[in-house]
Amino acid sequence: MTEPTFATLVSRWYEENARDLPWREPGVGAWAILVSEVMLQQTPVVRVLPAWRAWLDRWPDPAALAADPPAEAIRMWGRLGYPRRAVRLRDCAVAIVERHGGAVPDKLDQLLALPGVGTYTARAVAAFAYGQRHPVVDTNVRRVVSRAVAGESDAGLATRPADLVACEELLPLEPAAAALASAAFMELGAVVCTARSPRCPACPVESVCAWRASGQEAPAGPTRRPQRYAGTDRQVRGLLLGVLRETTGPVPHQRLDQVWSDDVQRARALAGLVTDGLVEPVGEAAFRLVGDGPATPLPRP
């Protein structure tokens, strides 16, 4: 009898142990999956769940989002973090409407051509929404493959072409089975083969794991240094956006001045928001979320 493959072992485990997440439910469309993949970038599942539901309640398809100004996408994004993703997702919706009649395309090259859709997201949508055979490689998948196949405790900080090749070699040839395996690899890395506290006895491929056989230990510290938040420009940007999200239309400069006492840092953070296409000046005395209402400047105080 043929021994089950690596992908088969992980897929069987996944079918019995996968977290119950709404974007994995049968019948969930490509738009909902695309939204989930964008939101999940650098953001924990627990924070994404309510935001994902609220987003799809308001914009159940790309055409609905494309019809609203980018300011509404930024406002709806709330404090999910990295708000440029909201603008990119709205730009993506516009492109889907203009190029594909409002339907998320199913071809990888067309997905890659959408604004804000990169190597990972395009392959994730192709695999999870359309059941295609593509290596879907995120941090979790790289760690699983690096440990189980290459015997290395850490996969490094960035995805390389070699990571895509290594993952693809593990996928079954049949597209639906490959898509299932891609989801399974990701889930295994997220909940079992974690960076610092792997639960090896619960792993379905412990017996064939090269890293486990080598006897190496998991890294004692994080693979990358956590970014400081308090007192950074990122914090100031968030505070400024918070005021702008709560107001429709222009916000006087004087009100924004109250957000942060350091004039230089506040001005730098505000300029960064403008550069990133999240905020736009209205005359010389006010700012607003990009596209938020008619361009009528407020009177100077």
Side-chain angles (χ1 to χ4, degrees):
M1 181 176 177
T2 304
E3 292 292 327
T5 65
F6 183 93
T8 298
L9 291 171
V10 181
S11 295
R12 288 174 181 171
W13 168 87
Y14 176 83
E15 290 179 314
E16 296 181 1
N17 297 279
R19 290 169 293 178
D20 184 15
L21 300 176
W23 44 82
R24 292 175 174 170
E25 294 177 0
V28 172
W31 171 243
I33 290 173
L34 173 58
V35 172
S36 75
E37 291 298 341
V38 173
M39 288 186 168
L40 286 165
Q41 295 167 14
Q42 298 178 286
T43 306
V45 168
V46 67
R47 293 185 60 200
V48 167
L49 282 168
W52 180 83
R53 292 189 176 100
W55 189 278
L56 291 175
D57 283 345
R58 179 165 181 178
W59 297 305
D61 54 47
L65 176 57
D68 273 345
E72 289 305 303
I74 299 168
R75 191 168 277 122
M76 194 69 177
W77 197 261
R79 298 188 179 280
L80 200 57
Y82 303 98
R84 277 180 292 180
R85 291 181 293 171
V87 176
R88 290 171 181 163
L89 191 50
R90 193 260 178 186
D91 290 343
C92 182
V94 171
I96 290 171
V97 171
E98 293 177 347
R99 303 174 193 173
H100 306 289
V104 177
D106 60 358
K107 293 181 173 57
L108 182 61
D109 60 342
Q110 293 176 337
L111 287 165
L112 285 167
L114 294 173
V117 174
T119 298
Y120 165 79
T121 303
R123 285 169 169 77
V125 173
F128 304 149
Y130 294 115
Q132 297 177 10
R133 185 182 187 275
H134 296 288
V136 183
V137 182
D138 69 350
T139 300
N140 292 315
V141 173
R142 285 192 295 112
R143 185 168 56 253
V144 167
V145 175
S146 177
R147 286 177 175 174
V149 178
E152 300 173 355
S153 62
D154 186 79
L157 299 179
T159 299
R160 304 160 299 175
D163 296 318
L164 294 172
V165 173
C167 182
E168 186 170 14
E169 289 176 348
L170 296 174
L171 296 178
L173 295 179
E174 200 277 317
L180 175 64
S182 290
F185 295 165
M186 193 175 303
E187 185 76 349
L188 186 67
V191 302
V192 174
C193 192
T194 56
R196 294 183 298 281
S197 302
R199 299 189 294 115
C200 294
C203 181
V205 291
E206 180 190 18
S207 62
V208 296
C209 177
W211 175 64
R212 184 70 164 163
S214 73
Q216 297 180 57
E217 296 184 357
T223 55
R224 65 178 69 188
R225 181 175 297 177
Q227 294 182 342
R228 182 173 60 90
Y229 181 75
T232 63
D233 284 4
R234 186 178 164 209
Q235 182 187 16
V236 183
R237 284 164 59 102
L239 293 171
L240 291 166
L241 274 181
V243 173
L244 292 161
R245 279 197 306 266
E246 293 167 0
T247 306
T248 300
V251 175
H253 209 308
Q254 286 182 330
R255 185 175 172 192
L256 295 175
D257 289 346
Q258 299 171 12
V259 165
W260 196 256
S261 60
D262 187 326
D263 294 343
V264 173
Q265 187 177 22
R266 186 181 63 251
R268 184 172 63 241
L270 187 56
L273 291 172
V274 173
T275 300
D276 289 344
L278 297 169
V279 173
E280 59 188 6
V282 183
E284 298 179 0
F287 291 83
R288 68 183 180 190
L289 295 179
V290 64
D292 196 17
T296 303
L298 294 183
R300 298 191 68 174

